[in-house]
Amino acid sequence: MKIEKDIEDFESLGDNHIGTSTDTPMRSDAFRLTNEEKIDIIKDDVRHIMETLGLDLTDDSLNGTPLRVAKMFVKELFGGLNPNKKPSASTFENKYKYGEMLVEKNITVYSTCEHHFLPIVGKAHVAYISNGTVVGLSKMNRIVDYFAKRPQVQERLTIQIVKELQTVLNTQDVACVIDAKHLCVNSRGIRDIDCSTVTSEFGGKFKEKETRREFLDYIKLETQF
Ligand SMILES: [Zn+2]
């Protein structure tokens, strides 16, 4: 009975998409195994799931799936669990003395819901006000992508991006808004194809109403090419 109750609790936690921590919950032995060793174990686990579902893995089309999924988990979808993959923190001196807000918007987010292992797809908008240090523009895309490549909840992803940029840029004045679709909501469960989830984190000056307003107005601007 105890186990059933636990499972019920876990399920309602997952179905309500509640995250429990701003750091990704990791085991202390998370990197004891090499990627190759992990792929080897996960491959057998995926095979087991498929066989349990009744699939015939001698079929040519299914035969390579366990290895393919294992590689995709370790190297692609969840490659951002490994701190070694964190984008290097190269920053530059703000030579033009540009002291206004810089917004990098419409950064594509491909992540994975940690409650269902289904895709989260959307856009991130990131802003900061330099206090003397700047980063290359693509660095912000890389930071978003690094934290997205984990089992995630959108709230945590938003906070992790802001915290990382605050550290790299040595300022609290960083903000992030993410607007994303969760396929676990769009394709199963309640099956609402149109709904998306918006999360935001505002640090330092972005907590002030006017600064926040300016950022949100920039996000609304149509970008013309
Ligand atoms: Zn989910």
Side-chain angles (χ1 to χ4, degrees):
M1 283 311 276
K2 173 78 173 70
I3 290 173
E4 273 173 31
K5 178 76 179 72
D6 283 351
I7 289 173
E8 249 175 51
D9 287 349
F10 281 132
E11 280 188 346
S12 69
L13 186 77
D15 278 343
N16 291 318
H17 292 91
I18 297 165
T20 50
S21 162
T22 58
D23 288 327
T24 302
M26 299 291 288
R27 293 162 56 96
S28 57
D29 62 354
F31 303 105
R32 189 172 50 84
L33 299 175
T34 64
N35 278 354
E36 277 57 41
E37 288 168 329
K38 287 179 185 181
I39 288 169
D40 208 43
I41 294 170
I42 295 171
K43 164 180 77 100
D44 291 341
D45 296 332
V46 175
R47 176 178 299 277
H48 188 216
I49 291 172
M50 294 174 71
E51 283 172 351
T52 307
L53 288 169
L55 293 165
D56 176 6
L57 273 86
T58 62
D59 186 276
D60 276 351
S61 175
L62 297 179
N63 199 273
T65 302
L67 180 60
R68 210 175 291 119
V69 171
K71 275 187 182 167
M72 179 183 72
F73 275 6
V74 173
K75 295 196 165 170
E76 295 173 72
L77 295 190
F78 305 136
L81 285 171
N82 192 331
N84 292 337
K85 295 281 179 204
K86 186 149 94 174
S88 63
S90 52
T91 52
F92 310 93
E93 190 191 335
N94 181 5
K95 289 224 176 84
Y96 346 96
K97 303 291 171 216
Y98 179 76
E100 298 298 320
M101 183 184 305
L102 188 147
V103 182
E104 179 87 346
K105 64 180 191 172
N106 296 323
I107 299 172
T108 301
V109 173
Y110 284 114
S111 191
T112 306
C113 155
E114 71 181 15
H115 301 128
H116 299 95
F117 273 24
L118 282 172
I120 300 171
V121 186
K123 298 284 180 192
H125 314 284
V126 180
Y128 70 90
I129 300 166
S130 171
N131 74 350
T133 305
V134 293
V135 283
L137 296 180
S138 67
K139 177 75 67 183
M140 291 191 271
N141 303 60
R142 289 206 188 91
I143 287 173
V144 169
D145 199 49
Y146 166 69
F147 287 107
K149 286 197 168 112
R150 296 176 173 197
Q152 274 291 10
V153 284
Q154 191 175 320
E155 296 88 329
R156 186 199 295 131
L157 175 60
T158 313
I159 293 169
Q160 286 178 332
I161 291 164
V162 168
K163 275 187 166 176
E164 176 64 17
L165 276 166
Q166 284 174 330
T167 307
V168 168
L169 291 162
N170 193 27
T171 175
Q172 288 300 301
D173 305 337
V174 177
C176 176
V177 170
I178 297 180
D179 184 358
K181 283 180 181 279
H182 292 235
L183 264 66
C184 53
V185 175
N186 300 128
S187 73
R188 54 160 295 288
I190 194 86
R191 284 183 158 211
D192 188 338
I193 193 74
D194 289 322
C195 89
S196 68
T197 305
V198 180
T199 47
S200 61
E201 176 75 4
F202 301 105
K205 290 184 187 147
F206 287 93
K207 289 188 194 296
E208 293 162 18
K209 214 168 160 192
E210 259 179 45
T211 312
R212 181 185 304 199
R213 183 77 266 149
E214 187 186 338
F215 171 42
L216 297 175
D217 284 346
Y218 287 140
I219 294 178
K220 274 190 291 187
L221 280 180
E222 285 286 341
T223 307
Q224 304 286 348
F225 292 99

